[in-house]
């Protein structure tokens, strides 16, 4: 269970707590970390976070979308709150820091204020979002979209790979599906959103920097493709007579890669998940489903690539006698961080002895959804080799300590501007 790490400094304790959450009972898979939304591992992780939030002086509640929220009162309880958070869910066979580190650093920030007997002019709420990765249901950032009020109720009509609907998963978590949208926060209750996250890329390491201020997050489009051919006997159906959904899908995937490579900008396109049916060695696949994730800092460029991909895939399907169905899973616009908050973060970095450095995020974050509710700020922390979405994900406690101090400096500066306002 959770190790005792109360004697560690804030940054090191945040890392140790992420490590403690990296195995059973906080994972749904044997021998690795997979913590999906509304699973027993999610529940166990929320129990640990509840303890840590309570010890840091917060009152804790679970909102209707199963986001865990710890609140630390400010001098004016009616003032809009500073939200600090990230996600507690993970990809399959994940690293330990993508998501939890931002939550744990929020808890450390509040803990430092609490131990010093300090209150800010505004309340602080630390939020552990339940679904950012979209690793269980065919939808992502469900829970921050619920909080920001941008969730289309139709998005709730989803089922996981085992056919368990979101409503059933919520019921198993003692939650009512029909209250989900009540997680929405009024904009008037929210001052700003701050998220610390490992960089998940190589830029900070290449520059020899521990931390950096994020300028914005690339636009994302996620699609799901279904290719239908004809399942048939692998021994008797001649090559000329096949309508093989798998070889058609393979050709489509290469076309996606070619279109993204030829763009030669920041545009990236990924097929990350493939499912072939019926999935037997002696049957020609009759149905293949795969995901397509397309990103760029420039939404027009991203959409142009998506259109080119659609045209290419349709041409491949038609040449092979296959049927192609494409469905949009989500469309998130590029999301710039708030300029004034970036300046506060730069100042806070300088005060910790770091050079100010700004970088863009190719990875998606809850901050890009929260930007429709309030001004957002993000702090990136160097990760070893730029590796993420992989058990080899690693951060240095010393870097996280710098991030911890920078976050406290940011909160102080926000307090000063808030009083002046
Ligand atoms: C989340 O990690 C994403 O960038 O998809
Ligand atoms: Mn991730
Ligand atoms: Mn993340």
């Amino acid at each position: 269970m959770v190790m005792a790490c109360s004697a560690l400094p804030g940054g090191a304790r945040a890392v140790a707590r992420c490590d403690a959450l990296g195995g059973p009972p906080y994972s749904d898979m044997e021998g690795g970390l997979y913590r999906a939304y509304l699973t027993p591992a999610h529940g166990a992780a929320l129990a640990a976070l509840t303890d840590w939030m309570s010890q840091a002086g917060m009152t804790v509640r679970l909102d209707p979308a199963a986001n865990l929220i710890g609140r630390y009162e400010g001098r004016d309880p009616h003032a809009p709150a500073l939200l600090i958070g990230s996600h507690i869910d993970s990809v399959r066979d994940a690293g330990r820091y993508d998501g939890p580190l931002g939550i744990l650093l929020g808890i450390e920030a509040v803990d430092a204020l609490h131990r010093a007997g300090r209150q800010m002019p505004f309340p602080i709420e630390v939020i552990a979002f339940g679904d950012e990765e979209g690793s269980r249901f065919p939808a992502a950032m469900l829970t921050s979209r619920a909080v920001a009020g941008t969730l289309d109720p139709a998005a709730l009509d989803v089922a996981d790979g085992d056919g368990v609907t979101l409503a059933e998963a919520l019921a198993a978590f003692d939650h009512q599906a029909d209250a989900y949208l009540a997680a929405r926060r009024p904009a008037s209750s929210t001052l700003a959103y701050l998220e610390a996250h490992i960089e998940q890329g190589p830029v900070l390491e290449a520059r020899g920097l521990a931390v950096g201020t994020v300028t914005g997050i690339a636009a994302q489009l996620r699609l799901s493709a279904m290719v239908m051919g004809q399942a048939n006997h692998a021994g008797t159906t001649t090559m000329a007579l096949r309508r093989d959904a798998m070889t058609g899908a393979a050709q489509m995937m290469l076309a996606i890669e070619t279109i993204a490579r030829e763009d030669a900008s920041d545009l990236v396109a990924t097929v990350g998940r493939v499912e072939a049916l019926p999935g037997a060695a002696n049957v020609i696949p009759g149905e293949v489903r795969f995901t397509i994730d397309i990103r760029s800092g420039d939404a027009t460029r991203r959409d142009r690539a998506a259109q080119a991909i659609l045209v290419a895939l349709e041409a491949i399907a038609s040449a092979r006698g296959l049927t192609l169905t494409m469905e949009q899973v989500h469309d998130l616009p590029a999301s710039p961080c708030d300029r004034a908050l970036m300046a506060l973060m730069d100042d806070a970095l300088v005060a910790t002895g770091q050079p100010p450095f700004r970088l863009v995020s190719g990875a998606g974050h809850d901050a890009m959804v929260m930007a429709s509710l309030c001004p957002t700020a993000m702090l990136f922390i160097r990760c070893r080799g730029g590796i993420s979405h992989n058990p080899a994900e690693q951060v240095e406690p010393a870097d996280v300590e710098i991030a911890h101090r920078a976050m406290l400096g940011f909160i102080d500066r926000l307090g000063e501007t808030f009083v002046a306002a």
Side-chain angles (χ1 to χ4, degrees), residues 83-107:
L83 302 188
I84 307 177
S86 195
H87 57 101
I88 194 66
D89 68 324
S90 81
V91 294
R92 274 171 208 276
D93 206 14
R96 298 185 297 272
Y97 310 103
D98 171 7
L101 187 59
I103 303 164
L104 269 311
L105 276 169
I107 295 174

Side-chain angles (χ1 to χ4, degrees), residues 87 89-91 98-99 132-133 197 200 363-364 388-389:
H87 57 101
D89 68 324
S90 81
V91 294
D98 171 7
E132 188 263 7
E133 302 282 9
H197 204 285
Q200 305 182 278
S388 182
H389 283 182

Side-chain angles (χ1 to χ4, degrees), residues 328-407:
Q328 185 172 295
V329 173
H330 79 218
D331 173 0
L332 294 170
S335 156
C337 292
D338 182 80
R339 283 179 177 281
L341 295 184
M342 277 192 264
L344 294 189
M345 187 60 84
D346 288 344
D347 285 353
L349 294 191
V350 171
T352 65
Q354 299 299 306
F357 178 73
R358 293 186 171 190
L359 71 172
V360 71
S361 175
H365 301 287
D366 293 298
M368 71 194 300
V369 170
M370 295 301 282
S372 60
L373 180 72
C374 62
T376 58
M378 281 199 78
L379 176 65
F380 268 177
I381 304 161
R382 162 169 61 188
C383 61
R384 194 178 299 165
I387 292 172
S388 182
H389 283 182
N390 183 315
E393 201 171 272
Q394 197 57 256
V395 281
E396 292 303 324
D399 291 351
V400 181
E401 186 58 30
I402 292 169
H404 172 52
R405 285 191 282 119
M407 286 172 75

Side-chain angles (χ1 to χ4, degrees), residues 224-231 243-253 256 274-277 285-290 292 313-314 316-318 320-326:
S224 122
M226 182 167 78
V227 183
M228 297 294 290
Q230 187 169 51
R243 288 198 295 123
D244 184 335
M246 183 78 111
T247 49
Q251 192 180 351
M252 291 176 189
M253 290 173 208
I256 293 167
V274 186
E275 208 184 346
L277 295 172
E287 179 179 335
V288 173
R289 295 164 186 259
F290 60 93
I292 311 172
L313 269 49
E314 274 172 348
I316 293 166
S318 135
R320 288 174 164 269
L322 304 168
T323 311
L324 172 72
T325 316
M326 299 266 271

Side-chain angles (χ1 to χ4, degrees), residues 221 259-260 263 265-267 294 296 298-312:
L221 189 66
I259 289 166
D263 185 273
S265 67
D266 69 338
L267 183 105
I294 311 170
S296 166
D298 175 352
T300 311
R301 186 177 279 278
R302 177 203 66 169
D303 293 344
R304 228 182 7 243
Q307 187 53 32
I309 286 172
L310 182 63
V311 169

